[in-house]
Amino acid sequence: MEPGTGADLAALAKVVARQRAEMERLRDLAATSAVLERAKGVLMAITGCAPDAAHEELLRRAKDGSRTLLEQCWLTLGALPPPTEQLFGAAPPAPAGLPGAVGSWETAPAGTVDMAEVLGHIGRDLVRVESPQELAGCLLEHLRSEVRADAVMLYERLPEGGLGLIGHAGLDPTLAAQWRHVPPLSGMSAVDALRTGEPRWLEDLPSDSARYLLIGNPPERWPTRAWLPVPARDTASVAFGVLRRTDEPFVPRERKLLRAVARLCAGRLRVFDASQERPGEDGAAQAVQALLDALPGAAIVLKPLRSASGEVADYRIEAATAEAVDVFGRAGRDMVGKHILESYPSVAGEPLWHGYLRALETGTPFDGEPFVYQDVSGGVPVTATYSVRAAPLGDGLLVTWLRHDPAERQEQRLSDVQRLGNLGWATWNLITQEVSWSTQAYAVLGRGSAREPLGLDELPDLAVPEDAETLSRVIGELLRDARSFDVPFRVETPEGVRHLRMVAEAVTEPDGTPVEVHGFVQDLTAQRSAELALVESERAMLLQRGILQAERALAARLQHALLPLPSKPVRLAGLRVEVAYLPAQAGTHVGGDWFSAIELPDSDALFVVGDVAGHGIGAVATMAQLRFTAKGMVSTGSSLTGALTRLNQLLLHSRDSRTTATMVLARYDPDEQILAWAQAGHLPPLLVRRGEARYVDRPGGMLLGASGAPVYESAELRLEPGDRLLLYTDGLIERLGESLDDGFTRLAEAVLLHGCGGSASLDALLGTMLADERRDDVCVLDIRMPPEEDTPEAGE
């Protein structure tokens, strides 16, 4: 083994351990950030202060009360009155014998109280405990109902290894004495939790007994148990255990709550150890940071972090100058608090690491040779070259560095930017007449790189005649008045016309005389082509929209002429008939829905509702043909089924033989009060009778235009006084994403909701059914048999 290899491996192992600790710290921070924001909101609401002032007030109160910020947040939230008190006045006093800090919350069933409220009560009680033993008792009191805990144990990692019991509750004294000291055994779940930094959930007693040495006499006393590491600044040193007599596993809410309680314990345990920290350390660090804030350049102050044996295990950045930037882009105070091996693990065992050690040991500054630092950030490799100097400063190091960025790398980056942006730079020295173009400038202007670059006054010769004058004018203003410009122009190339953009500015003498011109030219052909294509597409869309709107207007006029709507309900053969027709709101086409409600020569009434597939003028024309043909055939004596058969043949032999339609034909005999009806693929009528709504069974019948040999059947329905019958098209019940059965149910419920008698409003029914945007036309015939006591109104 080479010298130093063992130390390097040990350093890398420490890096892994510290990275685990950093992950736990970040999880702790994420879990407490919501509590902090809620506490800040409380102070802002009470005092009217700003968010920053609320944060400072929380910090001040925590410091004055020797509490952590998290504990102070829970205290602030716990000071609010409970919700019932806020809404309904003061809550009644708690029953005698219950702790006042918990109150009625302790009587709530497990799992029914909001977790934030539970943690608020626990956090408020923890601030009063003075020792780990009291802490264990407080935890058991709260967790007995929330996670069904029967015992709580707190173990601390000992310097020589192993664990020491620092607090317990729910254990008999003999058992606690037997397990007061635990050697560093690999078969201990508490040791395993501290070693891995992750909780251990023991929920299968036979399996757990084979893996671990379980606490208990006998161990079956607690079939399920959990051990969680309590977060700390570096690595967890306290294990928090919960033992239960139930054999059910921990549910997700219990696991989440125990993790949060472990974080609360961390804050209280840090308060117990606060007296061991050196006073005045923060003030010294602030003074050093204030000094570095005033210094230029890149510099940081490192504090060595030593192990128990006194060896340097890592360094912490105590202060940093504003211009200090690391390889990951962190700058200034963003670097403060970072550990070297956690943030830059690849320096472990390198000459830089050993140079730091020599500077500390000998007091002689370390000047390192330039070295390449390589790492990965967000999955992307990062590389930089540095020269580093480390000088002793008190018991730490003052480190300065210089980052080297080779000229060839800068040139490559500039070349990449020009290529990717399709632009090139150019300079014109007006004193020496020197002209310099980048390679990409030749490519953009369509000139071979072997040719001489052009002077400013020669550039207009490249532009097309329409743009040459404008380019000449702005160049003249630049040379005369040092006025910068940004102008588009076009050039002819063998590949066609290019759309370019040129931006230029002048460098002047103190008297304002231009002496040099800097600029760039960019190829915008692809962008301009896309803009022109978009304009052309918009023009075509507007034209098409105009055509569609004109067609819709024509179809609407035809439809209104063919389907005149009565202004009020009418009487036909003793029935009250109300009609509604509503065009679709979506799209630019008119549909082919229609209706007929007329009195026949023999005093019967004919009712028709139909729907032609498709939209536009063609659908309106087919609708008119079917409407008038059906009326004519039934009026001249054709049966309902015979009329449907002939209408089917009419569609099959029409100009567009692919057109289909649905229809309901109904003939009402007022003497017999019988409605005979037939249908062709149409929706069933809805009958409302004596407060109940049902859909009438349909006789057989295929939609019109679908078959050359369809069979149509008829059926009869006797109407009773007070009956209401709805004939309608599918636009009334269809909704996007809803089944047809759901639409039928919705219509039946809406009819019953708005009444069944003569006062029932068709407008109210339509308002309920058509609350959303209509995607299809809607046609409804509302036919009602008056009650026995009603008589036809005069004039109807």
Side-chain angles (χ1 to χ4, degrees):
M1 180 178 295
E2 297 180 1
T5 302
D8 297 345
L9 291 177
L12 289 174
K14 294 175 181 178
V15 170
V16 174
R18 287 184 175 83
Q19 287 178 338
R20 286 189 182 137
E22 178 67 7
M23 292 175 62
E24 183 63 34
R25 186 187 67 81
L26 293 175
R27 283 197 294 264
D28 188 22
L29 179 62
T32 58
S33 60
V35 179
L36 174 60
E37 293 303 318
R38 288 176 59 191
K40 287 167 57 178
V42 169
L43 287 183
M44 292 166 60
I46 295 175
T47 65
C49 63
D52 290 340
H55 186 80
E56 293 298 327
E57 177 63 17
L58 286 172
L59 291 174
R60 184 190 65 77
R61 293 183 182 184
K63 182 178 180 181
D64 293 345
S66 297
R67 293 183 287 268
T68 65
L69 179 59
L70 180 60
E71 292 167 348
Q72 183 60 49
C73 290
W74 285 121
L75 276 177
T76 302
L77 295 173
L80 292 174
T84 54
E85 180 179 337
Q86 295 176 10
L87 295 175
F88 308 110
L98 290 181
V102 180
S104 61
W105 165 76
E106 289 200 0
T107 65
T112 62
V113 183
D114 180 70
M115 186 172 297
E117 183 180 353
V118 174
L119 293 174
H121 285 287
I122 297 175
R124 185 166 56 187
D125 287 351
L126 287 185
V127 299
R128 294 195 294 270
V129 302
E130 299 296 334
S131 67
Q133 182 66 24
E134 293 182 14
L135 176 62
C138 179
L139 292 177
L140 180 59
E141 180 182 354
H142 286 278
L143 298 180
R144 180 177 285 112
S145 60
E146 285 300 316
V147 299
R148 299 169 291 176
D150 296 296
V152 169
M153 303 181 72
L154 294 172
Y155 273 115
E156 182 182 32
R157 192 196 306 269
L158 301 175
E160 66 274 14
L163 301 177
L165 186 64
I166 60 174
H168 63 87
L171 298 180
D172 59 81
T174 302
L175 185 63
Q178 292 173 351
W179 291 91
R180 183 161 300 279
H181 295 285
V182 176
L185 301 175
S186 58
M188 287 295 300
S189 50
V191 175
D192 197 16
L194 288 177
R195 179 181 57 82
T196 62
E198 294 294 334
R200 288 292 175 261
W201 309 99
L202 282 64
E203 300 164 322
D204 184 356
L205 186 61
S207 175
D208 297 331
S209 299
R211 295 173 54 203
Y212 298 114
L213 178 62
L214 300 181
I215 297 174
N217 188 20
E220 291 78 9
R221 181 180 180 185
W222 295 296
T224 58
R225 55 192 78 195
W227 287 97
L228 299 94
V230 177
R233 289 190 179 91
D234 296 318
T235 58
S237 60
V238 174
F240 160 49
V242 173
L243 289 70
R244 309 193 306 177
R245 292 192 176 93
T246 176
D247 58 355
E248 298 176 2
F250 292 86
V251 298
R253 181 184 184 275
E254 293 173 338
R255 294 191 177 200
K256 184 177 181 181
L257 177 60
L258 288 177
R259 289 178 184 270
V261 169
R263 288 190 287 270
L264 284 178
C265 291
R268 196 57 193 160
L269 291 170
R270 283 196 294 268
V271 172
F272 295 157
D273 298 335
S275 59
Q276 301 176 9
E277 298 180 2
R278 290 188 300 170
E281 195 170 50
D282 290 342
Q286 293 175 5
V288 174
Q289 181 61 63
L291 175 63
L292 263 65
D293 285 340
L295 295 179
I300 57 175
V301 173
L302 297 182
K303 175 186 177 181
L305 304 177
R306 300 182 182 274
S307 65
S309 62
E311 297 179 354
V312 175
D314 202 348
Y315 297 89
R316 183 174 63 239
I317 301 176
E318 295 288 284
T321 60
E323 297 179 14
V325 181
D326 67 4
V327 69
F328 302 113
R330 291 185 291 244
R333 296 198 178 195
D334 291 339
M335 303 168 61
V336 174
K338 303 295 182 183
H339 290 191
I340 294 298
L341 291 183
E342 291 177 6
S343 301
Y344 322 103
S346 61
V347 305
E350 294 294 325
L352 178 64
W353 180 263
H354 296 299
Y356 286 171
L357 293 177
R358 286 198 301 272
L360 282 176
E361 294 171 357
T362 65
T364 303
F366 161 72
D367 290 288
E369 297 292 332
F371 72 98
V372 177
Y373 180 85
Q374 295 179 328
D375 211 323
V376 176
S377 176
V380 179
V382 290
T383 304
T385 303
Y386 294 96
S387 292
V388 178
R389 185 177 194 273
L393 179 65
D395 60 351
L397 293 174
L398 176 64
V399 178
T400 59
W401 67 88
L402 177 65
R403 180 167 178 167
H404 305 282
D405 212 354
E408 59 270 16
R409 181 177 299 172
Q410 294 183 4
E411 292 177 1
Q412 180 62 46
R413 290 174 179 169
L414 180 58
S415 176
D416 292 342
V417 168
Q418 294 182 81
R419 177 177 51 81
L420 296 174
N422 207 4
L423 57 85
W425 58 264
T427 60
W428 292 269
N429 191 311
L430 305 181
I431 305 300
T432 65
Q433 301 302 313
E434 292 183 25
V435 180
S436 178
W437 285 7
S438 69
T439 303
Q440 195 66 23
Y442 285 95
V444 170
L445 291 169
R447 291 175 61 84
S449 58
R451 304 175 67 178
E452 292 291 330
L454 297 178
L456 271 174
D457 55 347
E458 298 175 294
L459 285 179
D461 297 337
L462 297 178
V464 298
E466 296 85 352
D467 298 338
E469 182 178 353
T470 300
L471 190 57
S472 297
R473 176 177 55 80
V474 296
I475 290 176
E477 293 174 349
L478 175 69
L479 297 176
R480 183 177 61 254
D481 304 323
R483 183 180 300 173
S484 59
F485 66 80
D486 182 344
V487 63
F489 66 99
R490 292 164 292 173
V491 297
E492 290 278 2
T493 68
E495 295 81 16
V497 176
R498 288 185 182 175
H499 294 266
L500 307 181
R501 171 198 180 201
M502 185 172 182
V503 180
E505 64 178 5
V507 179
T508 63
E509 294 283 6
D511 61 357
T513 303
V515 295
E516 191 168 80
V517 174
H518 302 160
F520 70 85
V521 59
Q522 185 176 17
D523 187 352
L524 301 178
T525 303
Q527 177 182 336
R528 183 58 178 161
S529 298
E531 292 173 353
L532 293 175
L534 180 60
V535 170
E536 186 62 29
S537 175
E538 290 177 347
R539 184 181 295 112
M541 289 176 60
L542 290 175
L543 178 60
Q544 181 67 20
R545 185 176 182 84
I547 295 173
L548 293 175
Q549 289 176 340
E551 180 182 342
R552 176 182 174 88
L554 175 59
R557 287 197 295 271
L558 287 174
Q559 191 179 56
H560 292 159
L562 296 172
L563 291 175
L565 288 173
S567 59
K568 61 181 181 178
V570 298
R571 290 279 184 175
L572 290 177
L575 301 176
R576 180 182 181 274
V577 181
E578 190 172 359
V579 181
Y581 181 86
L582 300 173
Q585 293 176 322
T588 58
H589 291 298
V590 175
D593 293 18
W594 89 92
F595 69 91
S596 284
I598 62 172
E599 188 170 311
L600 297 175
D602 58 359
S603 299
D604 287 359
L606 175 66
F607 302 109
V608 185
V609 169
D611 185 0
V612 175
H615 298 81
I617 295 177
V620 174
T622 302
M623 174 268 289
Q625 189 178 30
L626 293 176
R627 181 173 186 264
F628 290 113
T629 303
K631 290 168 57 178
M633 286 192 293
V634 176
S635 298
T636 56
S638 294
S639 66
L640 299 180
T641 56
L644 289 176
T645 301
R646 292 183 177 87
L647 291 173
N648 181 73
Q649 293 297 321
L650 178 65
L651 277 188
L652 288 175
H653 295 89
S654 63
R655 182 173 56 183
D656 186 359
S657 60
R658 295 171 299 179
T659 300
T660 60
T662 66
M663 181 185 298
V664 171
L665 278 174
R667 182 168 186 157
Y668 176 68
D669 182 350
D671 296 329
E672 299 294 333
Q673 296 184 344
I674 292 178
L675 183 80
W677 69 291
Q679 63 88 29
H682 203 82
L683 302 175
L686 177 62
L687 175 65
V688 182
R689 176 175 291 171
R690 293 189 290 275
E692 296 183 357
R694 68 177 180 89
Y695 289 95
V696 182
D697 294 336
R698 298 186 304 170
M702 184 180 297
L703 77 163
L704 302 177
S707 172
V711 176
Y712 295 103
E713 301 174 350
S714 63
E716 291 185 349
L717 174 67
R718 181 179 296 276
L719 297 183
E720 300 178 0
D723 281 357
R724 182 180 185 184
L725 188 69
L726 291 181
L727 306 180
Y728 53 90
T729 58
D730 55 5
L732 179 65
I733 64 171
E734 288 184 343
R735 276 187 182 177
L736 188 64
E738 182 182 70
S739 69
L740 202 57
D741 289 341
D742 291 338
F744 286 141
T745 302
R746 189 160 45 84
L747 175 58
E749 292 174 349
V751 168
L752 296 179
L753 175 66
H754 293 287
C756 306
S759 62
S761 169
L762 180 57
D763 290 339
L765 172 64
L766 295 176
T768 300
M769 293 296 298
L770 306 175
D772 300 330
E773 179 180 346
R774 296 188 299 278
R775 305 176 66 88
D776 197 2
D777 293 0
V778 176
C779 183
V780 182
L781 273 181
D782 187 358
I783 304 169
R784 309 188 195 190
M785 168 75 82
E788 291 181 340
E789 64 272 12
D790 288 0
T791 58
E793 299 178 11
E796 291 192 336

